[in-house]
Amino acid sequence: AQRVTQPEKLLSVFKGAPVELKCNYSYSGSPELFWYVQYSRQRLQLLLRHISRESIKGFTADLNKGETSFHLKKPFAQEEDSAMYYCALSGTISGNTPLVFGKGTRLSVIA
Amino acid sequence: DGGITQSPKYLFRKEGQNVTLSCEQNLNHDAMYWYRQDPGQGLRLIYYSQIVNDFQKGDIAEGYSVSREKKESFPLTVTSAQKNPTAFYLCASSSGRLNTEAFFGQGTRLTVV
């Protein structure tokens, strides 16, 4: 079964401090992993996906298959990063499957 | 303006009544999804459809029903059998191919009064 775990409900950091939002997954095949973000009063949107290996808004995430993790990192937090962040997994064993989401982590960046 | 649209934004229902939430997309996406979002629970999958006239139950399908008669539309009916229907409902769509982005609607907040 697919499962995504985000251990922190709330993460508060000061502006300019490093940020790491944790995500661990459980999946027997080769997963596709994503981070989605929901800013206040905006719709849920894709932040980044592991296959792209890109940096979006200063955020990066590396898939570590040994640790089954996909932590989201940013070296210097900004106030505008305050939002709800969801890690999500899509399985590939039996074709494309719907996204399975973690419970989310609310990031609060303090000025 | 391309995208995915949910309506209404707010919906009130009396106990014992069925209610239908609308979801329309003009992105030419094959796959559509319904999620329920509760505080501290993340997003939980209710139903999904990968092609017209076909749909599958998600993790919490009990008390809900869907139809997919057109590619653009995937309405969700919350029936009186749903024990705790008050929640925020999100509809999403994607091309259905591997590793593609899912696009979300703005959501419908359903309140049972």
Side-chain angles (χ1 to χ4, degrees):
Chain A
Q2 302 165 211
R3 189 165 63 243
V4 176
T5 303
Q6 293 179 252
E8 302 138 329
K9 283 187 179 179
L10 173 65
L11 183 63
S12 296
V13 300
F14 286 103
K15 179 181 173 181
V19 174
E20 184 179 51
L21 299 169
K22 290 185 167 48
C23 172
N24 288 90
Y25 67 89
S26 173
Y27 183 63
S28 55
S30 182
E32 296 176 1
L33 285 150
F34 308 81
W35 277 98
Y36 280 78
V37 61
Q38 192 169 29
Y39 300 103
S40 180
R41 295 188 177 83
Q42 293 187 28
R43 61 182 71 195
L44 194 63
Q45 59 188 283
L46 177 68
L47 180 62
L48 54 80
R49 68 194 91 186
H50 88 270
I51 199 167
S52 301
R53 302 183 67 82
E54 57 198 344
S55 173
I56 304 293
K57 299 184 178 182
F59 284 98
T60 59
D62 290 320
L63 176 60
N64 185 323
K65 291 188 178 181
E67 295 181 357
T68 59
S69 68
F70 188 56
H71 302 329
L72 183 69
K73 299 178 183 179
K74 184 170 182 176
F76 308 103
Q78 303 299 315
E79 289 180 75
E80 55 265 29
D81 296 329
S82 295
M84 194 74 182
Y85 291 82
Y86 292 96
C87 183
L89 176 153
S90 179
T92 58
I93 287 180
S94 56
N96 192 25
T97 58
L99 288 167
V100 172
F101 286 85
K103 293 186 177 182
T105 298
R106 181 168 297 282
L107 175 64
S108 177
V109 180
I110 305 163
Chain B
D1 185 23
I4 181 164
T5 303
Q6 289 184 242
S7 62
K9 193 172 181 180
Y10 299 97
L11 190 56
F12 296 88
R13 189 196 90 176
K14 291 183 179 179
E15 282 194 35
Q17 287 183 338
N18 292 355
V19 64
T20 298
L21 282 59
S22 169
C23 179
E24 304 276 333
Q25 53 97 2
N26 60 4
L27 301 167
N28 199 33
H29 283 165
D30 286 316
M32 296 187 75
Y33 316 89
W34 275 105
Y35 290 90
R36 172 177 169 145
Q37 188 177 29
D38 296 286
Q41 295 291 321
L43 279 74
R44 293 180 290 170
L45 183 67
I46 304 173
Y47 267 98
Y48 65 102
S49 168
Q50 292 178 314
I51 197 167
V52 175
N53 291 322
D54 188 44
F55 50 82
Q56 287 80 40
K57 292 182 179 180
D59 299 321
I60 56 166
E62 185 176 351
Y64 300 98
S65 66
V66 293
S67 62
R68 186 83 187 279
E69 296 175 2
K70 297 187 300 181
K71 189 175 187 178
E72 303 80 16
S73 179
F74 191 42
L76 174 74
T77 297
V78 183
T79 75
S80 57
Q82 168 50 234
K83 300 294 183 224
N84 186 22
T86 295
F88 192 63
Y89 292 87
L90 282 172
C91 180
S93 71
S94 74
S95 67
R97 294 190 296 275
L98 292 176
N99 200 41
T100 56
E101 177 180 358
F103 292 84
F104 285 81
Q106 288 190 305
T108 293
R109 183 165 298 281
L110 172 64
T111 303
V112 174
V113 297

